[in-house]
């Protein structure tokens, strides 16, 4: 694997007078084909190794990204904000992404909670110019509590969606997820990572390390984006 080398530029995202602002990171290759608004998961922010690696690997595939912090993570708290605050933050970040990547097709989504909050916003507001949604580990249910209720709002999403899911993800039973997605009218693709967990890590016995898996995922995501521009 070649060394990751794309620089990231810090931006400020003004959310609202009530919430304040959060920080973001723009990572962009010299000649990007598309851009991706990339929200982090519940337990780790935009600087987590997963977020950094995916942003860099997407850049290698010609995809620019804007990562950003949710307000609770910005101030170092562990508990996520309310869904209203989270979706308001996604909306503000989407506006910044449109300005940053004004000449590129724009996709959105994120890791786990970040992806779900992004799709919640899209289901409610249908943001202008959005080309599609990409989820890295959609959190369909809590561990050990199978349910598909968290996917109900996806029925109101009318842009293409890509679900990158580990087949042993404890937060998304694959059979339940596939059943939920079959009921949707939007264009839906599932990119399964065999033996992958919620962070797409695979067992050592597979002979594949995490970066190798994420590099393959980044290639699949970039190809899907180009097909849906």
């Amino acid at each position: 694997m070649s060394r990751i080398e794309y620089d990231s530029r810090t931006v400020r995202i003004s959310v609202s007078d009530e919430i304040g602002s959060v920080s973001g990171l723009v990572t962009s290759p010299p000649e990007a084909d598309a851009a991706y608004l990339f929200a982090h998961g519940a337990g780790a922010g935009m600087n987590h190794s997963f977020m950094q690696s995916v942003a860099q690997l997407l850049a290698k595939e010609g995809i620019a990204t804007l990562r950003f912090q949710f307000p609770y993570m910005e101030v170092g708290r562990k508990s996520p904000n309310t869904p209203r605050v989270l979706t308001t933050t996604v909306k503000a970040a989407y506006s910044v992404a449109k300005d940053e990547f004004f000449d590129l097709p724009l996709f959105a989504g994120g890791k786990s909670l970040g992806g779900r909050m992004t799709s919640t916003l899209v289901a409610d507001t249908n943001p202008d110019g959005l080309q599609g949604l990409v989820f890295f580990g959609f959190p369909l249910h809590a561990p050990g509590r199978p349910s598909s209720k968290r996917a109900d709002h996806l029925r109101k999403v009318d842009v293409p969606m890509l679900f990158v899911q580990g087949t042993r993800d404890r937060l998304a039973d694959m059979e339940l997820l596939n059943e939920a997605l079959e009921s949707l009218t939007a264009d839906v693709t599932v990119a399964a990572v065999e033996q992958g967990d919620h962070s797409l890590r695979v067992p050592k016995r597979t002979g594949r390390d995490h970066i190798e898996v994420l590099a393959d995922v980044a290639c699949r995501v970039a190809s899907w984006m180009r097909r849906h521009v």
Side-chain angles (χ1 to χ4, degrees):
M1 184 69 59
S2 60
R3 183 176 179 180
I4 295 172
E5 56 189 7
Y6 291 97
D7 292 332
S8 297
R9 173 170 51 84
T10 301
V11 295
R12 292 300 299 177
I13 299 169
S14 178
V15 180
S16 70
D17 291 340
E18 173 193 0
I19 299 169
S21 64
V22 296
S23 54
L25 288 170
V26 173
T27 307
S28 185
E31 295 184 5
D33 297 320
Y36 178 50
L37 179 64
F38 190 14
H40 65 74
M46 67 179 183
N47 289 306
H48 186 265
S49 60
F50 179 92
M51 301 291 292
Q52 291 180 343
S53 295
V54 171
Q56 293 287 344
L57 291 165
L58 284 174
K60 289 181 180 295
E61 298 293 337
I63 308 299
T65 56
L66 170 58
R67 290 173 276 158
F68 63 95
Q69 300 280 57
F70 284 118
Y72 75 97
M73 192 64 68
E74 183 79 357
V75 297
R77 292 203 305 265
K78 293 184 178 180
S79 299
N81 306 104
T82 64
R84 180 187 66 82
V85 171
L86 296 176
T87 55
T88 299
T89 306
V90 174
K91 183 177 181 180
Y94 185 78
S95 179
V96 172
K98 285 186 67 178
D99 289 340
E100 286 283 341
F101 309 123
F102 65 91
D103 58 344
L104 294 175
L106 182 57
F107 296 81
K111 176 76 173 75
S112 194
L113 173 73
R116 184 164 70 92
M117 290 299 101
T118 302
S119 59
T120 299
L121 172 71
V122 173
D124 291 339
T125 64
N126 189 27
D128 179 57
L130 181 65
Q131 300 291 305
L133 290 168
V134 178
F135 305 96
F136 291 92
F138 186 85
L140 188 64
H141 53 74
R145 297 172 61 185
S147 169
S148 59
K149 288 186 65 177
R150 289 182 180 176
D152 286 350
H153 70 281
L154 298 176
R155 297 190 185 111
K156 297 190 292 182
V157 174
D158 60 5
V159 296
M161 290 179 278
L162 172 64
F163 292 79
V164 182
Q165 299 288 146
T167 59
R168 62 184 184 94
D169 186 345
R170 295 179 63 242
L171 276 68
D173 177 274
M174 288 298 288
E175 185 175 346
L176 269 182
L177 180 64
N178 285 325
E179 287 178 1
L181 299 184
E182 284 174 2
S183 68
L184 305 183
T185 58
D187 179 344
V188 174
T189 303
V190 177
V193 176
E194 292 299 326
Q195 297 297 306
D197 64 10
H198 190 56
S199 293
L200 308 181
R201 291 187 179 277
V202 300
K204 289 184 179 179
R205 65 176 180 273
T206 65
R208 306 181 74 199
D209 65 28
H210 196 212
I211 291 296
E212 182 181 356
V213 171
L214 294 182
D216 177 64
V217 163
C219 181
R220 294 163 76 180
V221 169
S223 296
W224 180 88
M225 287 181 176
R226 292 188 182 98
R227 290 197 304 271
H228 288 84
V229 171

